[in-house]
Amino acid sequence: MTQKLILSTQDMPTGLDDRARFNTWHDMYVAAYCDFDLRRIEDRPFFATAEAQHFGGINVGATTAAIDTLMRSKQQVAAAVRSNFCLAFSNNGSPLIQAQAGRETVHRAESPILVAESEAGYVRQPGGYDFLMLDIPAKMLLERVADAHDLVARPLDAAPKAALHLKRYIGILPHLTQGEPDRALLDHVATTLIDLVALVLGANGDSAELATMRGLRAARIEEVFALIRKHFADPEFSTAHVARKLGLTPRYVNDLLQETGMGFAERVTELRLQSARKMLADRSKDRLKVIDIAYAVGFNEVSYFNRRFRQRFGEKPSQARGGPEAMQPRGIADPRPE
């Protein structure tokens, strides 16, 4: 997966006093993003954790800290070497208060906010920071949302479904990007992210059409994948369960999956077979009968399981027990959309 940056007071030397912990974390956080000032909450011990991953120019991160205000002065703006935008969501249900571009706005807790590094001002979250954010190069965003500067410190409530899809998509990125970095996949993730951000910001015209057709559809496909990976071992699992969970129709779910080249039943069966093969190769599960493993991964009939296993891997389930060769991949279909 892409390398994750983690800045946490938990990793600091135990001998540091509270003020030193704040100053050290402040300097690391500023170095990772841009020059600004942070105001800590004085009536509690200082703690902070920030995590971020880079996807084709976009940083996706989360911050939890005993800080209530981030401030950026005109001098800091004038000395800056970059001018990114930041789209942020509250994680703890508390509102974000923003003052930029001559406006002060109290944003609803469930609504995102758009911050511009090119503008002096502040963002405050009473009670302490807990937010999810996307740090986006200005050029990248302005190519999709030409009036982005006009949206800074304004309510962004026009596209709640797009905001929900964006947060869901960010939530499944750790699963999507497991394994060795793949440039094509990272570019696909970045494209999907910027498409969804454009929809959240109310893009219109050709930009909105492109984002809806490409970004929203890709995000929905990944949401379907995430549910299948989570529930494939349930023998009662169906497209109806997926559709109900995501607020879609079963037909639309099937259409999305057909676009990826593998339908629902085929994808679920593949995951069940791969899971069974892994269990059969695990020596700690030698006492489990083949029928027990078949049921554990979601098959209702052991004869059907035996037949599909042999078709898929060229051997009986009993022949796959306990051997390291059983764990070698054999033509596993890529579950990601192109």
Side-chain angles (χ1 to χ4, degrees):
M1 75 189 333
T2 60
Q3 185 176 5
K4 179 181 288 188
L5 172 68
I6 301 177
L7 307 174
S8 177
T9 50
Q10 294 181 350
D11 299 327
M12 293 181 184
T14 56
L16 290 179
D17 62 26
D18 214 43
R19 176 58 59 178
R21 287 158 64 84
F22 169 70
N23 290 335
T24 301
W25 192 86
H26 178 288
D27 291 345
M28 292 191 300
Y29 197 64
V30 166
Y33 289 99
C34 64
D35 191 18
F36 46 71
D37 296 313
L38 300 171
R39 187 176 71 187
R40 59 169 297 196
I41 300 175
E42 297 288 351
D43 63 353
R44 68 183 69 171
F46 181 71
F47 68 89
T49 297
E51 299 184 358
Q53 282 184 274
H54 191 75
F55 300 97
I58 299 175
N59 275 308
V60 179
T63 298
T64 303
I67 292 166
D68 62 12
T69 306
L70 181 154
M71 299 161 284
R72 190 156 162 84
S73 68
K74 292 181 179 180
Q75 291 78 13
Q76 289 169 324
V77 170
V81 296
R82 70 173 207 179
S83 57
N84 286 11
F85 286 94
C86 177
L87 186 72
F89 296 85
S90 173
N91 273 336
N92 62 7
S94 65
L96 291 167
I97 303 167
Q98 179 186 14
Q100 276 194 313
R103 297 180 285 272
E104 183 177 61
T105 305
V106 180
H107 298 274
R108 294 170 55 190
E110 63 273 20
S111 299
I113 75 169
L114 185 66
V115 179
E117 291 180 2
S118 59
E119 295 279 353
Y122 65 81
V123 175
R124 180 178 300 143
Q125 189 169 31
Y129 268 16
D130 188 357
F131 59 77
L132 173 72
M133 69 175 189
L134 294 92
D135 195 43
I136 310 165
K139 183 176 183 296
M140 181 184 292
L141 183 60
L142 291 170
E143 286 175 349
R144 302 299 308 278
V145 185
D147 62 344
H149 283 293
D150 295 334
L151 301 175
V152 172
R154 293 192 187 278
L156 301 176
D157 300 325
K161 288 187 177 180
L164 178 61
H165 280 294
L166 176 56
K167 292 179 73 174
R168 283 178 176 172
Y169 186 69
I170 292 171
I172 63 179
L173 285 181
H175 291 290
L176 184 62
T177 56
Q178 286 177 347
E180 291 298 317
D182 181 323
R183 174 52 53 189
L185 174 60
L186 297 181
D187 289 344
H188 170 77
V189 169
T191 298
T192 303
L193 287 171
I194 197 66
D195 282 339
L196 291 172
V197 168
L199 288 174
V200 169
L201 297 180
N204 50 46
D206 291 344
S207 183
E209 184 177 352
L210 177 63
T212 301
M213 178 177 62
R214 187 175 62 187
L216 191 55
R217 203 165 181 87
R220 282 174 170 162
I221 288 172
E222 295 301 342
E223 291 169 1
V224 172
F225 285 170
L227 282 175
I228 292 175
R229 285 192 296 266
K230 184 176 181 180
H231 298 291
F232 71 85
D234 179 355
E236 303 300 321
F237 187 53
S238 67
T239 52
H241 290 86
V242 176
R244 186 164 55 250
K245 184 73 173 179
L246 298 180
L248 306 173
T249 66
R251 180 175 180 177
Y252 185 65
V253 172
N254 283 321
D255 287 346
L256 288 174
L257 289 172
Q258 288 301 327
E259 288 181 12
T260 72
M262 184 182 287
F264 179 83
E266 187 180 1
R267 187 172 297 277
V268 169
T269 299
E270 173 69 15
L271 288 172
R272 287 173 177 173
L273 290 171
Q274 294 291 347
S275 181
R277 188 163 177 255
K278 184 177 180 180
M279 292 177 69
L280 288 164
D282 187 347
R283 295 187 184 280
S284 69
K285 294 180 172 57
D286 280 350
R287 293 188 177 183
L288 288 177
K289 297 178 180 179
V290 169
I291 190 173
D292 295 329
I293 291 176
Y295 289 155
V297 300
F299 286 96
N300 284 321
E301 297 180 9
V302 69
S303 58
Y304 176 70
F305 166 68
N306 287 335
R307 183 169 69 253
R308 291 303 303 263
F309 192 94
R310 188 165 187 173
Q311 290 172 345
R312 179 65 180 85
F313 301 117
E315 61 184 356
K316 298 177 181 178
S318 58
Q319 294 173 308
R321 302 219 69 149
E325 66 279 359
M327 293 304 296
Q328 298 301 315
R330 301 185 184 181
I332 301 174
D334 188 343
R336 299 180 298 229
E338 297 182 359

